[in-house]
Amino acid sequence: MNEPTAALPTVVIGAGPTGLAAAAHLVARDQNPLVLEAGPGAGTAVREWSHVRLFSPWAEVVDPAAEKLLAPTGWNRPEDASYPTGGEWAERYLQPLADALGDRVRYGARVTGVSRSGRDRVVDADREERPFTVHLVTAEGREERLTARAVIDASGTWAMPSPLGGDGLPALGEHTAADRITYRIPDFKDPAVRARYAGKRTAVIGSGSSAFTALAGLADLAREHPGTRTAWVLRRGVGESTFGGGEADQLPARGALGLRAKAAVDDGYAEAVTGFRTSEVEREDGRLVLVADGGHRLDPVDEVVALTGLRPDLSFLDEVRLGLDERLQAPVRLAPLIDPNVHSCGTVYPHGANELAHPEPGFYLAGMKSYGRAPTFLAMTGYEQVRSIAAALAGDQEAAERVELTLPETGVCGGAGLFDEPETEQGEAEGEGGGCCAAPATVQTADLEPPAPTGGR
Ligand SMILES: Cc1cc2nc3c(=O)[nH]c(=O)nc-3n(C[C@H](O)[C@H](O)[C@H](O)COP(=O)(O)OP(=O)(O)OC[C@H]3O[C@@H](n4cnc5c(N)ncnc54)[C@H](O)[C@@H]3O)c2cc1C
């Protein structure tokens, strides 16, 4: 890298938990980060699910370098063993962290394109000597262009929920039924939301933690408003491990969430409809009828809650030479570690700059986006990623290759993913005994002893 390029900032896309942690690690290594955030504040995406309680306690969602950066401001980590909501995570940690980073964070700056300065993706000549060019549009609609020595894209996947269709495309009629479909976990504490679902029949689609949260919330609503009913629509069958690891889960609140969803089914508030791949959404007497591939029709519902996965937005990375796995849209070396087709466990393994590298040197996907469509991302995985990336960018290869984290296991194979499960066709039998629960050797461990359960959402 030539001298002028080395002096340029490292652009970090997104002021979510991963992007802000990346900036903290870069500052700790005397690097010069510039965080570009599309929204008006830190944790814009997290604030959109502010009502959802995390299943990770505070101790596991605060980055160590961020904590060091915050210490001189008088910031104290909230009680380790308590579980924040998304809103609390943003208010009590992400925003103070962004404030401590000062003018290294810009809000209202949506990145619309990344490339090599003066080189489109086809051109080889001098490519690696050229800085990156980053195009953005401000909240006022003004276009800008910045140059950067490196780019860490930590823009998450929140903005791209997967559609209903079993083939990954919108089901026929899905768009025109949009007034009755939400792709987010409803906030059942909000009176307007309660009124929307109380006494109604709702289809919840998906089998990850987001679906479990919705099932549990609808069951609570049904206890107060008899007549509230849920059809829980899954592509696969329901088996022992469908609800996660329960008490065997090393994240107790995550295990508890699965048990609450199971109770919703066992207590008769939710009826599981299995082997159902939605292909059409029809309107019938003001209600919606979901139609499966084989023509099977679900009894009419009033509302649909679609929690079928999230996807990375790669549209603004067209000019970057990405090395992505064709299934997961995750970096090729990371994908085999997290592929739900192969790894039936929700357990994930720590990794760093090497696994996250692309054919375009100096460009990284980090955080939730680095997992592409895999459902098992944890915040602490992202913190470890950006620790390693910052070390690599600072030229400390030894630190970049070191693994400083051991992740908690789900306690289940062949079961649920963590968030919005992009259900693989992996059935129970196939999932069982996949052998993926054997964690690889790790060098050093953070203190991840799980606290006593306090219940999920
Ligand atoms: C409901 C829910 C519950 C979860 N619970 C847990 C939990 O208990 N424990 C756990 O470890 N993990 C949990 N996760 C997973 C994960 O830790 C979070 O999703 C986390 O917010 C991911 O952080 P991130 O920084 O990678 O992405 P995000 O939080 O999505 O942040 C990305 C940021 O980038 C911004 N952005 C997007 N596009 C652009 C652009 N083009 N230009 C500029 N900025 C852009 C967004 O506005 C956003 O602020 C949960 C996820 C969800 C959805």
Side-chain angles (χ1 to χ4, degrees):
M1 191 182 305
N2 59 37
E3 277 306 312
T5 300
L8 293 171
T10 292
V11 161
V12 178
I13 309 176
T18 311
L20 292 171
H25 281 277
L26 288 165
V27 168
R29 288 186 166 274
D30 293 325
Q31 303 290 300
N32 177 19
L34 175 62
V35 182
L36 301 175
E37 166 56 50
T44 293
V46 171
R47 288 175 204 266
E48 289 193 21
W49 47 273
S50 56
H51 57 288
V52 179
R53 192 166 293 286
L54 276 77
F55 50 68
S56 297
W58 273 112
E60 292 170 14
V61 294
V62 172
D63 173 77
E67 194 161 6
K68 278 196 193 121
L69 188 88
L70 279 162
T73 68
W75 185 85
N76 287 311
R77 185 160 75 187
E79 199 203 334
D80 275 3
S82 64
Y83 295 76
T85 60
E88 289 163 350
W89 199 17
E91 277 307 316
R92 296 182 66 183
Y93 166 62
L94 299 175
Q95 194 59 59
L97 175 56
D99 293 345
L101 286 161
D103 58 11
R104 297 185 187 100
V105 183
R106 267 187 71 179
Y107 302 113
R110 176 174 295 283
V111 172
T112 53
V114 180
S115 186
R116 288 279 179 184
S117 182
R119 300 283 182 277
D120 66 26
R121 73 187 282 162
V122 179
V123 180
D124 285 337
D126 298 333
R127 190 173 187 84
E128 292 178 18
E129 299 304 311
R130 312 289 301 182
F132 286 93
T133 180
V134 178
H135 288 220
L136 64 91
V137 60
T138 67
E140 298 77 36
R142 199 178 61 248
E143 290 176 324
E144 275 183 43
R145 184 166 51 203
L146 307 174
T147 43
R149 66 167 291 230
V151 175
I152 302 173
D153 180 355
S155 61
T157 54
W158 177 251
M160 298 267 289
S162 295
L164 276 184
D167 53 12
L169 301 172
L172 300 186
E174 182 171 342
H175 290 313
T176 49
D179 57 320
R180 295 294 183 85
I181 302 174
T182 180
Y183 298 88
R184 306 302 189 197
I185 302 168
D187 178 3
F188 293 109
K189 291 203 178 80
D190 178 332
V193 174
R194 293 174 76 78
R196 178 170 173 176
Y197 295 96
K200 308 274 176 55
R201 180 171 145 86
T202 298
V204 173
I205 307 183
S207 61
S209 290
S210 294
F212 292 169
T213 305
L215 289 174
L218 282 163
D220 288 345
L221 193 64
R223 288 182 188 102
E224 276 179 48
H225 296 274
T228 306
R229 286 288 170 268
T230 304
W232 179 31
V233 181
L234 300 103
R235 289 182 210 166
R236 57 188 176 200
V238 173
E240 292 249 319
S241 55
T242 302
F243 297 97
E247 285 167 13
D249 194 321
Q250 289 184 6
L251 284 172
R254 183 173 64 188
L257 184 55
L259 296 178
R260 286 185 67 203
K262 184 171 188 307
V265 176
D266 291 347
D267 296 349
Y269 296 115
E271 163 213 359
V273 181
T274 58
F276 192 101
R277 292 174 192 80
T278 310
S279 72
E280 264 183 74
V281 183
E282 291 180 4
R283 283 206 189 251
E284 194 178 281
D285 301 329
R287 304 179 87 198
L288 299 181
V289 175
L290 302 183
V291 184
D293 277 350
H296 179 66
R297 298 167 70 83
L298 199 66
D299 286 344
V301 296
D302 303 288
E303 298 289 341
V304 173
V305 178
L307 299 166
T308 50
L310 299 164
R311 299 173 172 189
D313 176 5
L314 300 168
S315 61
F316 60 88
L317 302 178
D318 242 18
E319 296 307 315
V320 182
R321 293 180 178 178
L322 296 178
L324 293 180
D325 174 75
E326 67 272 22
R327 294 188 195 89
L328 296 184
Q329 298 175 297
V332 280
R333 268 176 271 178
L334 170 60
L337 302 176
I338 59 174
D339 187 346
N341 289 292
V342 181
H343 294 278
S344 50
C345 305
T347 304
V348 290
Y349 307 126
H351 51 269
N354 284 347
E355 291 81 0
L356 295 164
H358 292 277
E360 195 79 77
F363 180 88
Y364 298 95
L365 294 174
M368 191 87 167
K369 188 166 184 174
S370 70
Y371 269 48
R373 298 195 188 195
T376 43
F377 180 78
L378 287 175
M380 63 171 92
T381 311
Y383 299 157
E384 172 66 2
Q385 290 179 336
V386 295
R387 181 203 63 76
S388 170
I389 292 169
L393 289 174
D396 185 348
Q397 203 50 35
E398 190 269 324
E401 284 173 13
R402 206 165 55 220
V403 174
E404 295 191 0
L405 175 72
T406 297
L407 291 158
E409 299 194 8
T410 57
V412 63
C413 282
L418 301 186
F419 309 109
D420 303 332
E421 173 79 51
E423 290 180 273
T424 61
E425 297 308 310
Q426 175 182 285
E428 291 301 307
E430 199 183 330
E432 236 66 86
C436 67
C437 279
T442 50
V443 177
Q444 196 182 319
T445 61
D447 178 16
L448 297 174
E449 203 54 39
T454 60
R457 200 177 115 72

